[in-house]
């Protein structure tokens, strides 16, 4: 954190020039941020949104009012930071640290009214934790990045809860008991009020397939979600509670704006369908909990349809549980390398895959893997690309 704090001080503390919502968690962070940022924009605010990773272009990480930062503004912001903090080069910052500082500088420079910030990894030592939030949030915590965050849910949740600030309310999604206990312990130590899903706020389906939300002060009926999958109900609940907490902290949000945010938000690469006959489905599931959510969504959205999988994974992921859950449900599996040095070569786990699915092939590039899946799929089947957001970005770049 020292480099980030030094850089922000050299820049005159841009992070203090706007209120922020800071979101941590294992899964659902991006969708929650998208719902919230869209609603804040509908409420008339100029909204900065900082997320990671990007899918196709790094500009996607820094958005104002739904638009990616332009190349010109991005370049200017980078040069501004380097001019004011040359130590970024002489004592190199990490890619994520530098990107975070550039985002906070840009948001301050263009005068956003509020920013929505997604952590990269963890929370306690995440560069975004240098920001000044008026509300924080923690989406569901599960096993991921264990080599950095710990090997128990309590340890991982404790790292995520590192975003909490004294006296700043934190919205918490429904958690496993040991994860919630770690978050509560951290909150009590800081005097940070908690809004916990299930006790302080809830979202429930209605007979007409719409949703109803009940929070400490807000009640909304007839809600619809732009993002697909049953898991988005929980993300929407957390987003609404964040909006309610922001409103209570002076960031004005109307109920109608909240409704619009849920109904119009976009978040690419998460159950994103491109093409037709067969549809190509892109999903960034990259840990066991994400795969469980994906499988539930497939049953809900594509019941009874055969799935032809294009799968790529980075070497530091816990691939075994993902493969054991997903591969037996697929008619065919095409393994592909990823365009990153972290990629796991398909040859290293093709035998493992063949024990889980009868039709498995390993390919040298994503184009060959995608073409093979498309050849095997009938018009009523589904081609699913998952295992890593790197893979989703690669396919999106190819399919436009």
């Amino acid at each position: 954190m020292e480099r980030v704090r030094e850089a922000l001080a050299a820049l005159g503390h841009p992070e203090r020039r706007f209120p922020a919502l800071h979101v941590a968690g294992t899964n659902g962070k991006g969708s929650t941020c998208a719902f919230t940022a869209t609603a804040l924009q509908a409420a008339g605010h100029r909204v900065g949104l900082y997320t990671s990773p990007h899918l196709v272009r790094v500009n996607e990480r820094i958005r104002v009012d739904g638009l990616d930062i332009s190349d010109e503004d991005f370049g200017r912001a980078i040069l501004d930071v380097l001019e004011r903090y040359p130590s970024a080069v002489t004592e190199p910052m990490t890619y994520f640290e530098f990107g975070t500082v550039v985002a906070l500088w840009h948001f301050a420079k263009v005068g956003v009214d509020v920013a929505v910030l997604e952590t990269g990894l963890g929370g306690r030592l995440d560069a975004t934790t240098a920001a000044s939030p008026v509300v924080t949030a923690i989406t569901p915590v599960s096993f991921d990045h264990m080599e950095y965050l710990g090997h128990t849910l309590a340890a991982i949740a404790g790292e995520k809860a590192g975003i909490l600030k004294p006296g700043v309310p934190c919205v918490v999604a429904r958690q496993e008991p040991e994860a919630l206990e770690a978050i509560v312990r951290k909150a009590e130590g800081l005097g940070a009020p908690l809004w916990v899903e299930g006790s302080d706020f809830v979202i429930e389906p209605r007979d007409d397939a719409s949703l109803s939300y009940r929070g400490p002060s807000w009640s909304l009926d007839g809600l619809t979600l732009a993002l697909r999958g049953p898991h988005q109900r929980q993300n929407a609940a957390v987003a609404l509670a964040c909006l309610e907490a922001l409103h209570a902290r002076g960031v004005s949000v109307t109920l109608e704006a909240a409704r619009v945010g849920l109904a119009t938000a976009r978040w690419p690469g998460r159950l994103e369908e491109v093409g037709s006959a067969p549809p190509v489905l892109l999903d960034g599931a990259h840990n066991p909990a994400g795969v469980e959510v994906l499988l539930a969504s497939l049953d809900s959205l594509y019941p009874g349809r055969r799935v032809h999988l294009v799968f790529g994974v980075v070497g530091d992921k816990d691939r075994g549980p993902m493969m054991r859950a997903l591969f037996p449900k697929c008619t065919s599996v095409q393994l592909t390398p990823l365009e990153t040095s972290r990629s796991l070569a398909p040859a290293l786990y093709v035998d493992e895959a063949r024990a889980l699915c009868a039709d498995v092939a390993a390919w040298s590039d994503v184009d060959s893997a995608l073409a093979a899946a498309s050849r095997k799929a009938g018009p009523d089947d589904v081609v699913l690309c998952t295992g890593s957001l790197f893979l989703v970005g690669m396919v999106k770049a190819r399919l436009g």
Side-chain angles (χ1 to χ4, degrees), residues 325-347:
L326 183 57
F327 287 19
K329 305 291 180 66
C330 298
T331 302
S332 71
V333 175
Q334 315 303 321
L335 305 180
T336 179
L338 305 174
E339 294 171 350
T340 170
S341 60
R342 295 168 57 201
S343 176
L344 182 66

Side-chain angles (χ1 to χ4, degrees), residues 36 44 56 77 90 108 138 156 178 251 263 275 303 306 312 335 345 363 368 372 386:
T36 309
V56 180
T90 58
I138 301 177
I156 296 170
E178 63 178 300
V251 182
R306 300 195 311 165
L335 305 180
W363 300 92
S368 300
T386 195

Side-chain angles (χ1 to χ4, degrees), residues 47-52 54 57-64 66-70 74 77-78 98-104 106-107:
V47 183
L49 175 63
Y50 180 59
T51 60
S52 62
H54 59 275
R57 301 180 72 232
V58 67
N59 308 55
E60 299 166 24
R61 295 180 180 228
I62 303 173
R63 301 177 186 176
V64 175
L67 300 177
D68 298 351
I69 188 172
S70 68
F74 204 0
I78 289 169
F98 188 73
T100 301
V101 172
V102 168
L104 296 172
H106 178 68
F107 291 158

